[in-house]
Structures are given as C-alpha cells and as structure tokens.
Amino acid sequence: MDFFAKVTRSDLVDKRELKTKRSIKNAFLKLRSQKDIEQITIKEIAEQAEISKATFYLHYRDIYDLSDTLGAEIMETILKDITNPNNIIDDPAIFTRELVTAFIAQKSMVDILFSGSQSYKLVDNIERSIRGLVFELHPEYKENVSFNLQLSYRIKGGYYAFYDNLNKFEISTLTEELCKIAGA
C-alpha cells in the first residue's frame, strides 16, 4: 500500500476545514486591523476569505465567536509562557517577567484583537485563568482579601502599566522596572 492510499476522505475534509478556518481567521484579522469589531460584517469576512456566508456560519456563530476563539488562542499562548503559576506568590518578579515577555511576544495580535471595545477582555481572561491555576494549587488563598487584591494588582496593574508606558520607554527598561515593583 503506497502513501497516497492511506489518505482517507476524513483527512482531506480535515485539511479543507483547517484551510477554510485559516482563511476566515486571516480575513478577520486583516479587517480587524483596519477597523473596530462592530464595523465588520460577515459579508466582508466571507468576501475576503473567498467563502460563502453559510460556510462562515458552519464554523462560527458570529463575529464575536470568531474573535473570542482567536482571543482564547492568544491567551493560551500567553499562559503557556508562564512556567510556574506559583511564582506569583513565591517570586512575583519572575512571574511579572514571564507575563511581560509573553505579552511582548503576542503584541501584534493583542493590538489587533484587543483594541477598542475589546481592550478589557484579554487582561480579564488572563486574570481569571491565573486565579484558577493559583487557587487550584492554593485553595486557602481563595477567600483571602489581601491576596486577591495583590493578585489583581499584579496582573491588571502590570498589564496596564506595561501598555500605557510601552511607547514612552524601552521595553527592557520597562520590564525591569515592572519586575522591581512586583518584587517589592
């Protein structure tokens, strides 16, 4: 049996589906880089991706479902760069460095997907996910007000401080200062 005989119909369908999803995502990202999510239509995405509107709806409920799917992929990538969620407790400076480095690595996608009315979503989702990881390891902190405030401050404060100052200072200097603040 040769190689081509092993390729099944489902393999071809899977590849076609992946290609279609990639076309939809690329079309959306191109449009999203040019305008707010509220200004994008399914018709525009379909035209850009060279698919029908019906094909779009086979894969996504609406534009927000597509945006959330892409956002979840970015968030998952960012969270993978955090080697040890315990560092938010044990070594906040290391945690902050990893989080900032992960944001920097995904900056272009973050800027596209999480601008305008979507700007709050990434940091809220990151905080929720990190809370889940930390409380899974340390359930005793779940009701600790001081710890919860510190967690929000480190994650959201670090995120907004980073993005608000990104164009004012060099990334390395900004990262070092955020790590100092987190470790204090």
Side-chain angles (χ1 to χ4, degrees):
M1 180 181 275
D2 68 5
F3 171 76
F4 293 107
K6 292 181 184 180
V7 176
T8 65
R9 179 163 169 70
S10 66
D11 290 336
L12 294 174
V13 171
D14 289 345
K15 287 180 181 180
R16 192 171 48 222
E17 184 176 331
L18 290 172
K19 183 179 178 189
T20 300
K21 282 186 171 183
R22 187 173 40 251
S23 294
I24 292 169
K25 289 176 182 181
N26 288 339
F28 175 74
L29 289 170
K30 181 177 181 183
L31 291 165
R32 185 69 176 90
S33 71
Q34 299 166 354
K35 52 184 158 179
D36 289 338
I37 193 169
E38 296 84 5
Q39 298 172 325
I40 299 171
T41 66
I42 303 293
K43 181 181 177 188
E44 287 176 300
I45 294 171
E47 287 173 359
Q48 186 78 37
E50 298 179 343
I51 60 166
S52 69
K53 286 172 53 175
T55 300
F56 176 91
Y57 286 115
L58 287 173
H59 300 286
Y60 303 99
R61 287 186 314 275
D62 55 26
I63 290 173
Y64 295 97
D65 181 36
L66 170 57
S67 182
D68 289 347
T69 299
L70 290 168
E73 290 172 8
I74 297 302
M75 190 179 77
E76 185 178 313
T77 302
I78 289 171
L79 290 174
K80 281 182 184 174
D81 287 344
I82 297 172
T83 58
N84 182 358
N86 258 341
N87 281 337
I88 199 159
I89 299 167
D90 300 335
D91 196 337
I94 288 176
F95 173 83
T96 300
R97 182 177 314 285
E98 288 179 347
L99 192 57
V100 167
T101 301
F103 284 143
I104 292 168
Q106 297 299 317
K107 185 182 178 322
S108 61
M109 290 294 286
V110 167
D111 289 347
I112 292 170
L113 289 172
F114 299 101
S115 62
S117 66
Q118 303 297 298
S119 63
Y120 70 93
K121 282 188 170 186
L122 177 67
V123 71
D124 283 355
N125 289 336
I126 293 281
E127 181 185 18
R128 189 176 311 110
S129 295
I130 291 172
R131 277 183 189 282
L133 292 171
V134 169
F135 294 149
E136 188 176 301
L137 297 170
H138 298 283
E140 68 273 16
Y141 288 125
K142 196 169 189 169
E143 302 302 321
N144 183 312
V145 173
S146 177
F147 179 79
N148 277 274
L149 289 172
Q150 288 177 29
L151 193 62
S152 289
Y153 184 78
R154 287 180 181 153
I155 296 168
K156 288 184 175 180
Y159 175 84
Y160 288 116
F162 173 73
Y163 273 100
D164 286 350
N165 291 285
L166 190 57
N167 295 322
K168 297 175 191 171
F169 305 103
E170 288 184 20
I171 290 176
S172 60
T173 304
L174 186 57
T175 302
E176 290 309 312
E177 290 303 314
L178 287 171
C179 289
K180 285 180 192 175
I181 292 167

